[in-house]
Amino acid sequence: MSTPHSPTAGAKPPFWRVKPLADMTPAEWESLCDGCGRCCLQKFENKKTGRVYFTRVACFLLDLETGRCKAYHERTRMVPSCLVLNAAMVPKLRWLPESCAYRRLAAGQDLKWWHPLVSGDLATVRQVGISVHGKVLSEEYVHPDDLEYYIVKGWR
């Protein structure tokens, strides 16, 4: 809690606490991505139950070190199934990880302490185990017919 003499007295709250997703600037929107890489994993959805199963196989464009797309501005041309996320889509995308900033904010929750915008450190996403770094491989090395063998349990 801030007092009139504390450094946070009168400080503006961070943009994600006051702006709806739909009103964010492109820079604000992009900064919400924590670089976990989970949205870039190959997934299966059970059409009957709606349950989503993540694999430990990442899109070939995902940089496995940084958790960022290697060709972000060209990704939809290179991978036509890649989505350009927007505020209207977020509540409908059940496969977005529960830790995802877009999903959390759309649900009225705040960012987690380890999110780089809160912690001030990109490494906290790795430190708490949210990042796919060191846990996945590129789809370049997996035959599409073998994806089901790479399903992981517990990732949401």
Side-chain angles (χ1 to χ4, degrees), residues 38-88:
R38 290 184 178 192
C39 61
C40 298
L41 297 177
Q42 299 293 332
K43 325 168 212 4
F44 294 102
E45 181 177 4
N46 181 318
K47 297 295 182 188
K48 289 181 182 177
T49 66
R51 185 168 177 195
V52 176
Y53 297 90
F54 285 84
T55 71
R56 59 183 199 93
V57 179
C59 172
F60 74 98
L61 290 177
L62 182 67
D63 182 320
L64 300 180
E65 288 296 312
T66 66
R68 304 287 178 182
C69 184
K70 293 185 253 183
Y72 187 73
H73 297 291
E74 298 294 317
R75 72 191 189 283
T76 56
R77 182 185 58 76
M78 297 173 75
V79 181
S81 62
C82 184
L83 295 178
V84 177
L85 199 60
N86 64 49

Side-chain angles (χ1 to χ4, degrees), residues 1-22:
M1 185 161 151
S2 65
T3 63
H5 301 291
S6 72
T8 58
K12 285 177 59 175
F15 72 88
W16 66 86
R17 289 194 182 137
V18 294
K19 275 189 178 182
L21 288 172

Side-chain angles (χ1 to χ4, degrees), residues 1 19-20 28 46 59 62 68 72 76 87-88 97 99 101-102 111 113 117 122 130 144 146 152 156:
M1 185 161 151
K19 275 189 178 182
E28 290 169 339
N46 181 318
C59 172
L62 182 67
R68 304 287 178 182
Y72 187 73
T76 56
S99 60
Y102 302 106
L111 300 181
W113 70 267
L117 287 174
L122 294 171
I130 297 299
D146 293 338
V152 283
R156 280 281 309 135

